[in-house]
Amino acid sequence: MPPRSRIRATAASASSTAKNGVQATGTAISEATAAIPAAERVAAQEADVQLFWGEPLDGVAERIDRLRTLSDEVGREHRPLEFGLRVTTLVRDTTDEAWRAAEEKVARMARQDPRAQEAFRRGTAVGQRRLLDLADRGDVLDSCLYTAPGRYGGGGAGTTWLVGSAREVADALHRYRELGVTHFVLSDTPYRQEIARVGDALLPLLTEPAASPVGSAPRRLSAAHSSEAPA
Protein backbone atom coordinates (compact mmCIF):
# COMPACT_ATOMS: atom_id res chain seq x y z
CA MET A 1 0.00 0.00 0.00
CA PRO A 2 1.63 3.24 -1.14
CA PRO A 3 2.86 6.09 1.10
CA ARG A 4 0.11 8.38 -0.14
CA SER A 5 -2.51 6.21 1.54
CA ARG A 6 -4.87 8.15 3.74
CA ILE A 7 -4.72 6.86 7.32
CA ARG A 8 -7.44 8.07 9.64
CA ALA A 9 -8.77 7.22 13.09
CA THR A 10 -12.53 7.19 13.57
CA ALA A 11 -14.29 7.54 16.89
CA ALA A 12 -17.52 5.74 16.09
CA SER A 13 -19.27 3.58 13.51
CA ALA A 14 -22.70 5.03 12.89
CA SER A 15 -25.10 3.15 10.68
CA SER A 16 -28.58 3.68 9.31
CA THR A 17 -31.14 1.43 7.69
CA ALA A 18 -31.59 1.83 3.96
CA LYS A 19 -34.49 0.54 1.91
CA ASN A 20 -34.86 -3.22 1.50
CA GLY A 21 -33.38 -3.73 4.97
CA VAL A 22 -29.81 -3.10 3.83
CA GLN A 23 -27.53 -1.63 6.49
CA ALA A 24 -25.57 1.32 5.14
CA THR A 25 -22.77 3.40 6.62
CA GLY A 26 -22.57 6.44 4.39
CA THR A 27 -22.20 4.90 0.95
CA ALA A 28 -20.68 1.65 2.22
CA ILE A 29 -22.97 -1.37 2.46
CA SER A 30 -22.41 -3.17 5.74
CA GLU A 31 -21.58 -6.88 5.82
CA ALA A 32 -24.39 -7.58 8.31
CA THR A 33 -27.07 -7.89 5.63
CA ALA A 34 -25.07 -7.59 2.43
CA ALA A 35 -24.83 -11.36 1.95
CA ILE A 36 -28.49 -11.67 0.96
CA PRO A 37 -29.23 -11.44 -2.79
CA ALA A 38 -31.33 -8.27 -2.52
CA ALA A 39 -28.59 -6.50 -0.59
CA GLU A 40 -25.90 -7.64 -3.00
CA ARG A 41 -27.95 -6.21 -5.83
CA VAL A 42 -28.21 -2.85 -4.05
CA ALA A 43 -24.46 -2.87 -3.41
CA ALA A 44 -23.65 -3.75 -7.01
CA GLN A 45 -25.85 -0.98 -8.33
CA GLU A 46 -25.53 1.87 -5.81
CA ALA A 47 -22.79 1.44 -3.18
CA ASP A 48 -19.36 3.04 -3.37
CA VAL A 49 -17.74 0.45 -1.11
CA GLN A 50 -18.84 -3.06 -0.13
CA LEU A 51 -17.50 -3.82 3.34
CA PHE A 52 -16.65 -7.39 4.30
CA TRP A 53 -16.03 -8.71 7.76
CA GLY A 54 -13.13 -11.06 8.44
CA GLU A 55 -13.85 -14.00 6.16
CA PRO A 56 -11.24 -16.37 4.75
CA LEU A 57 -9.59 -15.32 1.52
CA ASP A 58 -11.50 -17.79 -0.63
CA GLY A 59 -14.83 -16.46 0.61
CA VAL A 60 -13.88 -12.84 0.00
CA ALA A 61 -12.57 -13.68 -3.48
CA GLU A 62 -15.85 -15.39 -4.34
CA ARG A 63 -17.89 -12.42 -3.08
CA ILE A 64 -15.80 -9.91 -5.01
CA ASP A 65 -16.13 -11.91 -8.22
CA ARG A 66 -19.89 -12.25 -7.74
CA LEU A 67 -20.37 -8.54 -7.03
CA ARG A 68 -18.31 -7.49 -10.03
CA THR A 69 -20.35 -9.78 -12.27
CA LEU A 70 -23.58 -8.50 -10.73
CA SER A 71 -22.46 -4.89 -11.31
CA ASP A 72 -22.32 -5.64 -15.02
CA GLU A 73 -25.67 -7.42 -14.97
CA VAL A 74 -27.52 -4.54 -13.27
CA GLY A 75 -25.92 -1.94 -15.53
CA ARG A 76 -24.06 -0.05 -12.79
CA GLU A 77 -23.77 3.62 -13.78
CA HIS A 78 -21.31 4.76 -11.08
CA ARG A 79 -17.56 4.30 -10.86
CA PRO A 80 -16.56 0.66 -10.23
CA LEU A 81 -17.57 -0.81 -6.89
CA GLU A 82 -14.74 -0.86 -4.36
CA PHE A 83 -14.23 -3.31 -1.51
CA GLY A 84 -13.27 -2.93 2.14
CA LEU A 85 -12.40 -5.13 5.09
CA ARG A 86 -13.65 -4.39 8.61
CA VAL A 87 -11.76 -6.69 10.99
CA THR A 88 -10.29 -6.97 14.46
CA THR A 89 -6.48 -7.06 14.48
CA LEU A 90 -4.72 -8.37 17.57
CA VAL A 91 -1.07 -7.39 17.18
CA ARG A 92 1.85 -8.01 19.54
CA ASP A 93 5.64 -7.95 19.26
CA THR A 94 5.84 -11.70 18.70
CA THR A 95 3.59 -14.47 17.44
CA ASP A 96 3.54 -16.20 20.84
CA GLU A 97 2.57 -13.00 22.66
CA ALA A 98 -0.24 -12.35 20.20
CA TRP A 99 -1.77 -15.81 20.48
CA ARG A 100 -1.44 -15.81 24.25
CA ALA A 101 -3.34 -12.51 24.39
CA ALA A 102 -5.98 -13.80 21.96
CA GLU A 103 -6.58 -16.99 23.93
CA GLU A 104 -6.83 -15.04 27.19
CA LYS A 105 -9.47 -12.77 25.66
CA VAL A 106 -11.47 -15.72 24.35
CA ALA A 107 -11.26 -17.41 27.77
CA ARG A 108 -12.83 -14.31 29.33
CA MET A 109 -15.54 -14.30 26.69
CA ALA A 110 -16.25 -17.99 27.37
CA ARG A 111 -17.15 -17.15 30.97
CA GLN A 112 -20.17 -15.13 29.80
CA ASP A 113 -23.71 -16.43 30.27
CA PRO A 114 -24.18 -19.19 27.64
CA ARG A 115 -27.87 -18.26 27.33
CA ALA A 116 -26.92 -14.80 26.08
CA GLN A 117 -24.53 -16.34 23.60
CA GLU A 118 -27.22 -18.66 22.25
CA ALA A 119 -29.73 -15.78 21.98
CA PHE A 120 -27.17 -13.83 19.98
CA ARG A 121 -26.67 -16.70 17.54
CA ARG A 122 -30.43 -17.13 17.00
CA GLY A 123 -31.02 -13.45 16.26
CA THR A 124 -28.20 -12.72 13.86
CA ALA A 125 -28.31 -11.58 10.24
CA VAL A 126 -27.23 -13.67 7.25
CA GLY A 127 -23.69 -12.30 7.07
CA GLN A 128 -23.20 -12.71 10.81
CA ARG A 129 -24.39 -16.31 10.74
CA ARG A 130 -21.92 -17.08 7.98
CA LEU A 131 -19.10 -15.71 10.15
CA LEU A 132 -20.21 -17.75 13.15
CA ASP A 133 -20.25 -20.90 11.02
CA LEU A 134 -16.57 -20.41 10.16
CA ALA A 135 -15.63 -21.87 13.54
CA ASP A 136 -16.81 -25.26 12.24
CA ARG A 137 -13.96 -25.15 9.70
CA GLY A 138 -11.32 -24.74 12.41
CA ASP A 139 -10.01 -22.32 15.02
CA VAL A 140 -7.48 -20.79 12.61
CA LEU A 141 -8.10 -20.29 8.89
CA ASP A 142 -5.71 -19.02 6.24
CA SER A 143 -2.52 -17.82 7.95
CA CYS A 144 -3.88 -16.20 11.13
CA LEU A 145 -7.67 -15.70 10.98
CA TYR A 146 -8.93 -16.73 14.43
CA THR A 147 -12.54 -17.94 14.45
CA ALA A 148 -12.92 -18.96 18.12
CA PRO A 149 -14.28 -15.56 19.29
CA GLY A 150 -17.49 -16.25 17.38
CA ARG A 151 -18.22 -19.24 19.61
CA TYR A 152 -18.42 -17.04 22.68
CA GLY A 153 -20.39 -13.98 21.65
CA GLY A 154 -17.98 -12.14 19.39
CA GLY A 155 -20.09 -10.32 16.80
CA GLY A 156 -19.62 -8.19 13.71
CA ALA A 157 -15.99 -7.34 13.11
CA GLY A 158 -15.21 -9.03 16.43
CA THR A 159 -16.36 -12.47 15.27
CA THR A 160 -13.01 -13.27 13.69
CA TRP A 161 -9.61 -11.73 14.45
CA LEU A 162 -6.34 -11.49 12.58
CA VAL A 163 -3.78 -12.50 15.21
CA GLY A 164 0.00 -12.36 15.14
CA SER A 165 3.05 -10.16 15.02
CA ALA A 166 2.69 -6.89 13.13
CA ARG A 167 4.45 -8.42 10.14
CA GLU A 168 2.20 -11.50 10.10
CA VAL A 169 -0.99 -9.44 10.30
CA ALA A 170 0.32 -7.01 7.66
CA ASP A 171 1.06 -9.95 5.35
CA ALA A 172 -2.48 -11.26 5.88
CA LEU A 173 -3.94 -7.85 5.03
CA HIS A 174 -1.79 -7.62 1.92
CA ARG A 175 -3.31 -10.90 0.74
CA TYR A 176 -6.78 -9.34 0.99
CA ARG A 177 -5.46 -6.38 -0.96
CA GLU A 178 -4.27 -8.71 -3.72
CA LEU A 179 -7.89 -9.87 -4.09
CA GLY A 180 -9.03 -6.27 -4.72
CA VAL A 181 -9.75 -4.97 -1.20
CA THR A 182 -8.66 -1.32 -1.02
CA HIS A 183 -10.26 -0.05 2.20
CA PHE A 184 -9.28 -1.38 5.64
CA VAL A 185 -10.98 -0.57 8.95
CA LEU A 186 -8.93 -2.08 11.79
CA SER A 187 -9.55 -2.17 15.54
CA ASP A 188 -9.33 -4.07 18.81
CA THR A 189 -10.19 -3.42 22.46
CA PRO A 190 -9.35 -1.77 24.81
CA TYR A 191 -9.50 0.89 22.14
CA ARG A 192 -6.88 3.40 23.21
CA GLN A 193 -4.23 0.80 23.93
CA GLU A 194 -4.87 -1.36 20.88
CA ILE A 195 -5.28 1.49 18.40
CA ALA A 196 -1.88 2.76 19.56
CA ARG A 197 -0.42 -0.67 18.73
CA VAL A 198 -2.07 -0.66 15.32
CA GLY A 199 -0.80 2.83 14.59
CA ASP A 200 2.74 2.27 15.85
CA ALA A 201 3.44 -1.28 14.70
CA LEU A 202 1.00 -2.28 11.95
CA LEU A 203 0.16 0.75 9.82
CA PRO A 204 3.80 1.53 8.93
CA LEU A 205 4.06 -1.95 7.41
CA LEU A 206 0.91 -1.34 5.37
CA THR A 207 2.31 1.86 3.86
CA GLU A 208 5.71 0.53 2.85
CA PRO A 209 6.51 1.61 -0.75
CA ALA A 210 7.91 -1.83 -1.55
CA ALA A 211 4.62 -3.48 -0.65
CA SER A 212 2.74 -1.77 -3.47
CA PRO A 213 2.88 -2.50 -7.20
CA VAL A 214 3.83 0.41 -9.44
CA GLY A 215 0.79 2.47 -10.40
CA SER A 216 -1.55 1.09 -7.75
CA ALA A 217 -4.31 3.31 -6.44
CA PRO A 218 -4.24 5.05 -3.05
CA ARG A 219 -5.43 2.88 -0.16
CA ARG A 220 -7.56 4.04 2.71
CA LEU A 221 -6.69 2.74 6.16
CA SER A 222 -8.60 3.41 9.34
CA ALA A 223 -7.93 2.47 12.94
CA ALA A 224 -11.47 2.42 14.24
CA HIS A 225 -12.96 2.80 17.69
CA SER A 226 -16.09 0.75 17.08
CA SER A 227 -18.75 -0.99 19.15
CA GLU A 228 -18.46 -4.00 16.80
CA ALA A 229 -15.17 -5.12 18.33
CA PRO A 230 -15.14 -7.61 21.23
CA ALA A 231 -15.23 -6.26 24.74
Side-chain angles (χ1 to χ4, degrees):
M1 300 173 189
R4 62 176 183 263
S5 302
R6 289 192 295 166
I7 301 173
R8 57 192 173 85
T10 61
S13 59
S15 63
S16 59
T17 302
K19 62 183 179 180
N20 298 324
V22 177
Q23 291 294 318
T25 303
T27 53
I29 301 297
S30 164
E31 173 61 16
T33 55
I36 62 177
E40 285 193 336
R41 192 172 186 86
V42 172
Q45 188 160 5
E46 301 294 343
D48 293 330
V49 181
Q50 166 68 60
L51 286 177
F52 302 121
W53 284 333
E55 290 189 57
L57 293 164
D58 58 355
V60 172
E62 179 183 352
R63 299 281 305 286
I64 288 175
D65 182 65
R66 185 164 68 246
L67 284 162
R68 283 174 172 165
T69 299
L70 189 57
S71 293
D72 293 336
E73 292 177 357
V74 300
R76 180 181 175 88
E77 298 178 353
H78 310 297
R79 61 186 296 177
L81 179 63
E82 298 180 14
F83 305 99
L85 183 72
R86 171 74 180 93
V87 68
T88 292
T89 51
L90 197 157
V91 174
R92 294 293 185 271
D93 291 338
T94 69
T95 304
D96 288 345
E97 289 174 353
W99 283 103
R100 184 161 55 249
E103 289 168 354
E104 289 172 354
K105 284 190 175 187
V106 168
R108 290 195 297 270
M109 295 167 65
R111 292 194 287 270
Q112 298 174 3
D113 186 344
R115 292 172 297 181
Q117 296 173 20
E118 180 59 28
F120 170 74
R121 294 185 70 91
R122 288 198 305 270
T124 54
V126 172
Q128 178 66 75
R129 287 200 301 272
R130 190 177 61 253
L131 279 185
L132 294 172
D133 290 343
L134 290 176
D136 294 336
R137 292 172 53 179
D139 280 350
V140 183
L141 304 178
D142 295 337
S143 61
C144 60
L145 184 66
Y146 193 32
T147 67
R151 292 197 182 101
Y152 304 107
T159 312
T160 56
W161 309 344
L162 291 174
V163 178
S165 67
R167 172 54 66 188
E168 289 167 336
V169 173
D171 287 347
L173 292 169
H174 282 307
R175 283 188 280 272
Y176 285 101
R177 182 191 166 225
E178 290 168 355
L179 298 178
V181 175
T182 55
H183 300 253
F184 296 85
V185 186
L186 315 174
S187 73
D188 193 13
T189 57
Y191 297 118
R192 181 177 298 178
Q193 176 182 336
E194 296 300 336
I195 288 176
R197 282 195 174 101
V198 168
D200 293 341
L202 181 58
L203 293 189
L205 298 178
L206 300 178
T207 56
E208 290 177 341
S212 176
V214 175
S216 60
R219 308 301 176 199
R220 297 173 178 84
L221 305 173
S222 173
H225 174 160
S226 166
S227 59
E228 295 173 317

